[in-house]
Amino acid sequence: MTYRAPVADIAFALKHAAGFAPALAEGIYGDLGEDLVDQVLEEAGRFATEVLSPLNTVGDRQGARFENGVVTTPPGWKEAYAAWAKAGWNGLAAPAQWGGQELPHALNAACIEMWNSAAMAFGLGPVLTMGAVDALTAHGSDEIKRGYLPKLVSGEWTGTMQLTEPQAGSDVGALRTKAERAPDGSYRITGQKIFITYGEHDLTDNIIHLVLARLPDAPSGTRGISLFLVPKFLLNADGSPGVRNDARAHSIEHKLGIHGSPTCTMVFGDQGGAKGFLVGEENRGMACMFTMMNQARLAVALQGVAIAERATQQALAYARERRQGRALGAAAGPSPIIAHPDVKRMLLTMRALTRAARAICYATAVALDRAQRGSDERARTLAHERASLLTPVAKAFATDIGIEVASLGVQVHGGMGYIEETGAAQHYRDARIAAIYEGTNGIQAIDLVTRKLPLAGGATVRAYIDELRATVEAVNAANDPGFGATGARLGETVESLARTTDWLIGPQQNNPETALAGATPYLRLFATAAGGALLAEEALAAARLAGNGAAPARIAIARFFAENLAVGAGGIERSVLEGADSVNTADAALAG
Ligand SMILES: Cc1cc2nc3c(=O)[nH]c(=O)nc-3n(C[C@H](O)[C@H](O)[C@H](O)COP(=O)(O)OP(=O)(O)OC[C@H]3O[C@@H](n4cnc5c(N)ncnc54)[C@H](O)[C@@H]3O)c2cc1C
């Protein structure tokens, strides 16, 4: 089944749950008008639905091919990429100085969701290029910016992000790729990287690798890592691609999913050293890479939303057509399976989780925009802290629910879900990677608990929890019977979050073992409270807008989330507060 971009839902979540409409009204985005925003979303939806979505199955079945160092993308991808880049999608949020349109990151986030719903293995490539643009804009020398940014912004060249080595995955500080200073001021890079997304392909004339490496006299660990730009083809004096650099793909991986995306083992310097150019300062590479990674983490979070949306659409369509048994109250059977309460529950869970994750991701993107465009220094700092707090939540929750929703999608299809023909299985396989790359979800939870909760002495997270409380009060004040027990259940969830947060930033600060053991359930609790509140905000906005026929549906989904999914919060709170001990004292259970 094909994908149809849910443009109206996306626009509504962006404007009314994520805070885009107030940001627009405050003038954060200059003279950008709502009409243009709607036009961009419509056009992106059309492109994703009509051009990219048909590539999804062929990408999965034929995959990327590797032969004699050359990677061939699946049939139709080259033409689709050329059309996509020509339409200017790659530079949507990039600086105007380098040919971009400088539109909001939040708008770009909505588009990234659509590219990835349509074909995740396709949508992944541009995520890396956009990340490279961010890193070079923030840290590149003028010469690097002039030489590379215009082509990366236009999408004529793509970018890669190269951290991982066999012994250095989550532990980036263990990387061994070497960089040596050359007399001409450039560097010679030697070493091997693994799992490099779009490290080699046939979509563009040049590929710009951003490679982390270590200088001979560098300190050990992450403080001794530098970032280098290593082009596949070195540039001629006129800026065009010239001589081939000493960097090549050795092979590509055979994977569970995203078959259309080539995942390469890269070899640098088997002819003496790949020519690289320093980005930022020596030994400050991690700071540069973080610029790239934060954007990339949000983009990967959006992949979770994207795959969940596509799986939900497909499951809904199937459940309306497939007939089995007689539903309660039906005059005669067989009834469409959507009429059975258990199937309905699965579909509502899929929809509610998808929309909650979408709202969290877009809210993170709006915070990133405010951090960049806020009216004064203080507003920008607060927004930066908000974005930092929400990024690991968005990444881990959205990609976890991507897998859960895709799994439910298979379940709704019954046996047909397990058969490749329907495509439900592909979503499940594709979804799995997003919880692993760009920092595993376990690492995201640790980041949230150890680095993000202590931001501004705990003021960042406390201010956020106060906002969630305000939403609960607004639901209660609305006094709309359609909300059922939403206010009460959401209120309990937010207070569970408040208690565990106080506990983590209070007594457990000197007890890292306990905090680390409870980090993953804590992140889920955080996302449950945030997602539930944002769905309620969306419902309240729908009810406020006179003549909005969609209000009952939005209220119903907020209520379903609060009464069926958020109610697990009390159990998660217990797991964080009391369960850590049984994690840390249970080594015997894993012995043998
Ligand atoms: C398809 C694909 C595409 C990829 N694309 C890229 C790319 O473009 N560029 C790139 O550089 N890399 C890429 N990667 C690599 C990816 O980012 C890593 O696989 C990921 O960061 C995890 O590292 P690892 O595989 O070594 O797992 P490990 O680090 O060995 O982790 C294994 C498990 O241990 C846990 N763990 C590890 N350390 C800790 C700790 N300190 N505390 C708690 N738990 C811990 C992890 O959460 C995980 O569950 C890609 C990988 C794949 C499969």
Side-chain angles (χ1 to χ4, degrees), residues 333-512:
S335 307
I337 58 171
I338 194 170
H340 299 303
D342 191 61
V343 175
K344 222 189 284 183
R345 184 188 49 74
M346 287 195 274
L347 293 166
L348 284 165
T349 303
M350 294 172 83
R351 175 143 280 173
L353 288 173
T354 304
R355 289 201 181 159
R358 174 182 288 138
I360 293 175
C361 289
Y362 290 1
T364 309
V366 171
L368 282 168
D369 279 333
R370 285 185 179 275
Q372 212 174 54
R373 299 167 183 249
S375 53
D376 58 62
E377 185 72 33
R378 170 112 185 108
R380 286 194 293 274
T381 304
L382 288 175
H384 178 71
E385 288 167 354
R386 168 67 58 90
S388 302
L389 176 71
L390 292 184
T391 298
V393 178
K395 197 286 176 173
F397 177 67
T399 57
D400 276 346
I401 69 94
I403 299 165
E404 290 164 30
V405 170
S407 177
L408 281 169
V410 171
Q411 195 70 18
V412 168
H413 283 74
M416 281 310 287
Y418 201 69
I419 308 301
E420 289 289 354
E421 192 187 316
T422 58
Q426 186 194 341
H427 305 324
Y428 187 41
R429 290 186 286 98
D430 284 352
R432 195 63 191 84
I433 184 58
I436 296 172
Y437 57 26
E438 277 312 318
T440 64
N441 286 1
I443 297 294
Q444 303 301 320
I446 291 169
D447 177 49
L448 174 66
V449 167
T450 60
R451 293 199 203 91
K452 303 303 167 59
L453 294 189
L455 278 174
T460 307
V461 66
R462 289 204 167 100
Y464 188 67
I465 290 172
D466 282 344
E467 279 183 26
L468 302 181
R469 286 186 173 121
T471 302
V472 172
E473 277 171 30
V475 172
N476 289 333
N479 224 0
D480 181 336
F483 274 115
T486 304
R489 299 295 92 85
L490 217 48
E492 288 157 13
T493 307
V494 173
E495 293 317 314
S496 282
L497 175 66
R499 282 190 294 275
T500 45
T501 303
D502 285 344
W503 185 77
L504 284 167
I505 53 185
Q508 296 313 308
Q509 252 190 353
N510 300 320
N511 192 1

Side-chain angles (χ1 to χ4, degrees), residues 20-323:
F20 187 79
L24 205 59
E26 277 171 47
I28 298 289
Y29 299 119
D31 56 8
L32 176 67
E34 209 169 320
D35 284 357
L36 181 60
V37 171
D38 291 339
Q39 270 171 30
V40 170
L41 292 176
E42 276 297 334
E43 195 45 39
R46 194 198 58 74
F47 196 96
T49 303
E50 292 174 12
V51 183
L52 299 184
S53 181
L55 302 177
N56 200 41
T57 309
V58 73
D60 185 55
R61 297 206 176 141
Q62 309 226 10
R65 307 272 155 112
F66 181 84
E67 216 179 325
N68 297 326
V70 175
V71 171
T72 310
T73 50
W77 284 41
K78 203 170 168 173
E79 296 74 17
Y81 179 81
W84 181 86
K86 190 160 175 255
W89 293 115
N90 196 63
L92 196 75
Q97 185 186 1
W98 305 112
Q101 298 171 58
E102 222 163 293
L103 284 164
H105 283 297
L107 188 55
N108 198 31
C111 296
I112 289 174
E113 180 196 316
M114 292 189 255
W115 315 139
N116 282 281
S117 273
M120 178 166 152
F122 180 95
L124 177 57
V127 163
L128 279 322
T129 308
M130 291 174 196
V133 167
D134 289 335
L136 296 182
T137 303
H139 305 285
S141 65
D142 286 347
E143 199 183 340
I144 282 184
K145 284 180 182 162
R146 276 197 305 274
Y148 296 91
L149 275 175
K151 301 278 188 192
L152 283 169
V153 167
S154 68
E156 282 166 88
W157 300 344
T158 61
T160 70
M161 177 162 117
Q162 308 211 12
L163 297 84
T164 308
E165 298 177 13
Q167 77 295 343
S170 301
D171 185 6
V172 182
L175 68 82
R176 293 188 197 131
T177 295
K178 276 195 227 143
E180 287 187 82
R181 297 175 186 94
D184 64 356
S186 67
Y187 295 76
R188 294 296 169 269
I189 313 294
T190 47
Q192 192 200 59
K193 296 282 177 185
I194 60 167
F195 299 161
I196 301 307
T197 297
Y198 281 89
E200 179 60 55
H201 60 76
D202 58 356
L203 300 177
T204 56
D205 294 344
N206 208 354
I207 304 174
I208 312 305
H209 306 299
L210 291 188
V211 182
L212 287 183
R214 196 178 282 292
L215 287 157
D217 49 5
S220 62
T222 48
R223 282 179 305 134
I225 293 175
S226 308
L227 180 63
F228 298 93
L229 182 152
V230 183
K232 174 178 168 184
F233 291 102
L234 295 163
L235 303 193
N236 293 320
D238 66 0
S240 61
V243 180
R244 178 85 199 234
N245 205 352
D246 187 4
R248 67 184 172 86
H250 170 269
S251 53
I252 65 172
E253 304 293 346
H254 299 280
K255 319 188 282 290
L256 180 66
I258 53 166
H259 294 157
S261 163
T263 306
C264 306
T265 296
M266 301 295 299
V267 177
F268 295 92
D270 55 3
Q271 283 154 30
K275 193 167 187 177
F277 306 95
L278 184 70
V279 178
E281 292 171 35
E282 287 185 354
N283 300 330
R284 300 273 302 139
M286 280 312 285
C288 305
M289 212 48 156
F290 268 120
T291 309
M292 189 165 172
M293 277 196 299
N294 283 334
Q295 297 284 357
R297 279 182 178 167
L298 178 59
V300 171
L302 289 158
Q303 291 190 319
V305 179
I307 212 88
E309 171 62 37
R310 187 161 188 164
T312 305
Q313 286 189 17
Q314 180 157 345
L316 264 168
Y318 187 80
R320 287 187 185 117
E321 273 184 17
R322 171 73 173 161
R323 290 175 174 269

